[in-house]
Amino acid sequence: MSEGLPVALDAMGGDHAPHEIVAGAVHAVRERGLPVVLVGSPRVLYEALADHDATKEISIVRAEEALEMDEGALASLRRPRSSIAIACHLVRRGDACAVVSAGSTAGIVTTGRLRLKGQQGVLRPAIAVDLPTLPAPAVLLDAGANAEVKPEMLVQFAHLGATYAELAHGIKDPKVGLLTIGSEAEKGDKLVRRAHELLQGSPGIHFTGNVEGHDLLTGKVDVITTDGFTGNVALKTMEGAVRYAFAELREAISESRLARLGAAMQRSRLRELRQRLDSEAHGGAVLLGLNGTVVIAHGASRAQGISAACRLAADLSAAGVVNAIGERMAVPSRSHRLWKSSRGADAVE
């Protein structure tokens, strides 16, 4: 993280904005020692800070507008002075080290691309999400930024994810898998089969082959690359399954005194498991491939989730993830080679 620079926090984005966002900022400043600047309506934010007696601890940057949670990508064009746009502008101007927002994912992605621009050589930015595997999290991307992709984009997502896994989780030479419907190389549609060919011949990528949906939480690979449509469906299916499993577990525990006693004896282990599977504890998703660090917190995030997102953003900025991606994508002719190979495949088809 650039010395002394704060995290620019979009205080108007999220289901519980601005009060939970402000509470998260206060927690990040007081408990984590992170500098944070709030972006949004000064009057509303000042009142929220006053509730925490924090008006002198956290500064506010005015934003005239805000993107609603149900607004899509076009809203970013209609509202150039939105809180997420101003937050991105602070990073681009060098007044903040990173952006954190719990607002509309489509709005954040579009605004990020407009304000921060894609890094040289990166065809499309991708959303990376940590999956709670052991001993270290696996990185799934794209988790929703690009519903339609080309084969060379899946290869680039692998490079983005590998860089993130190395810096965020300390994984050397991370193993990369391609998400599809079978482990065999010929499984999947035309897009996946072509991406498999490109990944096999891509230098700098430890490609181990295809992975399936049941491999997501096994730790079989460190990075899972897929298109944004498939990745988002897989992620939300997994989240729903986890919620269902915990609901069933709570019901089973409450059914008998013996079950409650057993649960009490395993309380610390259950708490640890719940913490590991809690998406808010990890801070959120990361939008990789832009000229700036952007963390997308869950829309329903409360104060603890927002604070964790600020911590993640600050850590990634300090680790130099943007520069590391730039160096990886600057490998001579890598982007040109991928584009040329894809165009050649299109021509053959």
Side-chain angles (χ1 to χ4, degrees):
M1 180 172 62
S2 300
E3 189 68 27
L5 289 182
V7 172
L9 177 56
D10 171 16
M12 312 309 290
D15 295 338
H16 306 292
H19 296 288
E20 287 293 328
I21 310 301
V22 171
V26 173
H27 184 276
V29 170
R30 292 177 176 173
E31 304 300 325
R32 301 179 187 270
L34 299 175
V36 176
V37 58
L38 293 170
V39 183
S41 169
R43 180 184 61 81
V44 172
L45 297 183
Y46 186 87
E47 292 176 356
L49 284 172
D51 291 339
H52 297 274
D53 195 23
T55 55
K56 296 182 180 179
E57 297 177 65
I58 301 176
S59 60
I60 299 170
V61 173
R62 177 187 296 274
E64 306 294 340
E65 302 172 306
L67 299 183
E68 299 297 330
M69 291 300 290
D70 58 352
E71 290 186 302
L74 291 179
S76 302
L77 303 176
R78 296 193 300 266
R79 300 182 181 177
R81 299 291 297 172
S82 67
S83 52
I84 180 60
I86 299 301
C88 288
H89 182 66
L90 291 175
V91 171
R92 185 175 182 181
R93 201 169 61 188
D95 293 332
C97 69
V99 174
V100 171
S101 178
S104 161
T105 298
I108 296 169
V109 172
T110 302
T111 303
R113 292 182 64 185
L114 286 172
R115 297 285 174 163
L116 296 173
K117 308 297 183 184
Q119 291 181 260
Q120 185 173 3
V122 176
L123 299 173
R124 293 277 184 86
I127 296 174
V129 176
D130 286 345
L131 303 182
T133 57
L134 292 176
V139 181
L140 170 71
L141 74 170
D142 180 22
N146 307 280
E148 297 182 3
V149 300
K150 292 182 180 294
E152 73 274 14
M153 292 178 189
L154 294 179
V155 179
Q156 286 204 345
F157 295 167
H159 282 287
L160 297 178
T163 304
Y164 177 79
E166 290 170 357
L167 292 179
H169 305 310
I171 302 173
K172 295 183 179 180
D173 192 26
K175 295 177 290 185
V176 175
L178 177 65
L179 184 61
T180 185
I181 59 173
S183 59
E184 299 84 359
E186 66 274 10
K187 287 295 182 71
D189 57 15
K190 187 187 303 182
L191 166 70
V192 171
R193 293 197 303 271
R194 180 56 180 158
H196 189 283
E197 294 176 5
L198 293 175
L199 282 164
Q200 281 187 316
S202 182
I205 288 293
H206 182 182
F207 181 57
T208 61
N210 292 340
V211 294
E212 300 178 67
H214 55 67
D215 296 318
L216 291 177
L217 296 179
T218 63
K220 183 177 181 179
V221 294
D222 304 304
V223 177
I224 302 163
T225 182
T226 186
D227 63 272
F229 180 89
T230 304
N232 191 268
V233 171
L235 178 65
K236 290 181 178 177
T237 300
M238 185 189 70
E239 290 176 343
V242 168
R243 285 195 296 269
Y244 173 78
F246 267 99
E248 289 293 303
L249 179 61
R250 282 194 298 268
E251 184 174 343
I253 290 173
S254 65
E255 285 181 351
S256 70
R257 183 178 178 182
L258 183 61
R260 289 193 295 272
L261 177 61
M265 296 177 64
Q266 294 294 325
R267 184 176 301 168
S268 61
R269 182 69 182 91
L270 289 172
R271 186 183 300 115
E272 176 188 334
L273 178 62
R274 183 170 184 174
Q275 178 79 1
R276 183 161 63 87
L277 297 178
D278 183 2
S279 59
E280 280 207 23
H282 303 288
V286 185
L287 185 57
L288 300 174
L290 298 178
N291 290 303
T293 303
V294 178
V295 171
I296 305 173
H298 198 287
S301 291
R302 299 283 183 174
Q304 290 288 340
I306 295 299
S307 178
C310 290
R311 173 79 275 169
L312 175 61
D315 287 347
L316 290 176
S317 176
V321 67
V322 173
N323 290 337
I325 288 173
E327 292 172 2
R328 179 183 278 258
M329 300 313 299
V331 172
S333 73
R334 170 172 287 161
S335 298
H336 174 72
R337 188 165 59 246
L338 286 172
W339 176 249
K340 184 177 180 181
S341 63
S342 175
R343 294 292 289 177
D346 291 343
V348 171
E349 292 166 7

